[in-house]
Amino acid sequence: MNISDIGEFGLIEEIKRLTKNPEGALGIGDDCAIIEYGEKELLVSVDALVEGVHFFEDANPYLLGRKSLAVNISDVAAMAGIPKWCFLSISIGKGVAKEWIDSFMKGFLDLAEEYNVYLLGGDTTSSEKTVINITIIGENRKGKSLKRSTAKVGDLVVVSGRIGCSFAGFKALRDSIEGFEELKDKHLNPKPMVEEALKIRDIATAMIDISDGLVQDCGHIAESSKVKIELFWDKIPFCDTDIATEEEMLCGGEDYQILATIRSNAGLPDGFYVIGRVVKGEGVVLLKNGKSVELKDCGYRHF
Ligand code: ADP
Ligand code: MG
């Protein structure tokens, strides 16, 4: 059997079925695990960036260092937690120069400082291709972390900013289109939305970061909360560019905006957009001029 027969999410489900959650901990299935710890809870997540999959050999190492940590910090933001500590395990590919590592570490540590995150350990090895593996630990007051699984029928769906800029920037980079520096920066130097997530922590019912694409990440909330999400196409704040289509922006990943459901009677904080609502049922439906539109093969999957 090929792994692609069950897919990335099928494989994770299978691993999940083989594990148990001890009391006081939430395991596989969300952006971070939650571990109760006295009056607090720890949020822990690990993510890998693989050369040839997440970045190319000629990637700017400074920006790669920043992005590697940014995507991990985003997983803590995705649960409305505060990122605190990290570990860096790096397998260095053949032919990588010392200067490359220096720039990578400068980018990594610059971002760490901007977010008050401390590097506490890691591991260094060599391999065919470069693989970067980061563990992030954040914290929250007990019971305050927001999961994917707690959206309720009647809630509104909100997003913390424009979506699709990262995909548009990726397209410009991939097709070697000159200019579009701002969009390229969105893709290469994403900003984890820690503050934004905290702003809505007390009115949100469920939360995730948009790493796989708006539609697919709505799907993650819908599936774990056992609800259906209706998205209003005309309310979605698409990136202001014609380099990518709206369809591509709905499916393209790596925006790292916060996507949340909030109680419908709560006021909306500055900077957030209401883009949909939670209803009974399952899956995600996009409504355009009152009609539902289906998008095929939407969002990133590894297998
Ligand atoms: P994200 O895109 O936010 O990084 P993933 O889709 O990578 O999340 O992972 C979804 C969930 O599955 C997370 O809770 C993660 O910890 C868990 N997970 C993924 N791969 C594995 C694995 N090989 N073993 C155990 N848990 C895993
Ligand atoms: Mg992951």
Side-chain angles (χ1 to χ4, degrees):
M1 181 179 173
N2 290 320
I3 295 177
S4 57
D5 294 339
I6 54 168
E8 178 187 349
F9 300 123
L11 184 59
I12 295 174
E13 263 314 304
E14 225 174 86
I15 295 173
K16 184 177 173 170
R17 277 201 295 275
L18 300 172
T19 66
K20 287 191 201 107
N21 270 4
E23 204 175 318
L26 172 80
I28 298 173
D30 221 305
D31 291 292
C32 295
I34 306 178
I35 305 164
E36 284 180 20
Y37 204 75
E39 290 305 299
K40 294 194 170 174
E41 54 198 21
L42 297 175
L43 298 168
V44 187
S45 172
V46 58
D47 256 301
L49 283 93
V50 180
E51 182 187 322
V53 179
H54 300 92
F55 64 92
F56 293 103
E57 204 183 343
D58 60 355
N60 174 318
Y62 177 82
L63 290 174
L64 183 63
R66 289 183 67 91
K67 183 168 178 174
S68 307
L69 182 58
V71 304
N72 281 272
I73 290 179
S74 184
D75 275 327
V76 174
M79 305 197 72
I82 297 162
K84 299 286 266 191
W85 310 282
C86 67
F87 293 80
L88 169 64
S89 158
I90 181 162
S91 281
I92 300 167
K94 294 218 165 79
V96 172
K98 167 74 167 54
E99 289 73 22
W100 193 96
I101 301 293
D102 292 346
S103 300
F104 174 87
M105 285 313 302
K106 172 97 174 71
F108 186 99
L109 293 171
D110 276 359
L111 194 88
E113 198 174 321
E114 286 164 33
Y115 282 83
N116 296 315
V117 168
Y118 294 87
L119 177 62
L120 297 186
D123 196 25
T124 306
T125 51
S126 73
S127 60
E128 202 62 36
K129 302 245 178 217
T130 299
V131 178
I132 299 149
N133 226 297
I134 294 165
T135 301
I136 184 97
I137 305 176
E139 66 174 15
N140 224 338
R141 289 211 305 279
K142 201 166 170 176
K144 285 285 180 189
S145 301
L146 284 156
K147 296 179 258 190
R148 301 175 175 185
S149 58
T150 40
K152 298 279 174 310
V153 171
D155 291 344
L156 298 175
V157 179
V158 301
V159 67
S160 59
R162 302 207 164 268
I163 68 130
C165 293
S166 174
F167 183 78
F170 163 75
K171 238 180 140 177
L173 288 160
R174 184 194 61 191
D175 302 343
S176 307
I177 306 172
E178 267 183 52
F180 299 100
E181 296 308 325
E182 219 175 293
L183 296 178
K184 289 175 183 170
D185 189 63
K186 292 274 190 234
H187 182 71
L188 296 173
N189 191 15
K191 177 176 171 292
M193 300 300 212
V194 175
E195 292 291 327
E196 288 76 1
L198 289 177
K199 262 202 238 173
I200 58 166
R201 185 172 65 178
D202 293 328
I203 59 168
T205 53
M207 198 177 271
I208 191 169
D209 64 332
I210 305 183
S211 53
D212 296 342
L214 176 67
V215 170
Q216 196 173 123
D217 286 313
C218 278
H220 291 319
I221 291 185
E223 195 183 332
S224 32
S225 296
K226 301 191 170 57
V227 294
K228 178 175 176 175
I229 289 183
E230 282 182 353
L231 290 175
F232 313 133
W233 195 300
D234 300 331
K235 294 276 199 286
I236 295 171
F238 289 107
C239 188
D240 192 12
T241 175
D242 21 7
I243 197 170
T245 64
E246 292 187 350
E247 283 81 356
E248 285 175 322
M249 296 196 227
L250 287 166
C251 304
E254 298 208 298
D255 280 310
Y256 300 104
Q257 296 291 349
I258 293 294
L259 175 70
T261 55
I262 63 169
R263 293 193 303 271
S264 63
N265 58 359
L268 187 69
D270 279 354
F272 278 81
Y273 302 82
V274 174
I275 58 166
R277 61 179 186 158
V278 180
V279 296
K280 268 192 200 154
E282 57 181 51
V284 179
V285 57
L286 275 145
L287 298 175
K288 196 177 187 181
N289 305 323
K291 289 204 187 85
S292 74
V293 183
E294 230 188 280
L295 295 174
K296 293 241 151 61
D297 296 327
C298 191
Y300 194 77
R301 286 182 178 82
H302 279 282
F303 305 103

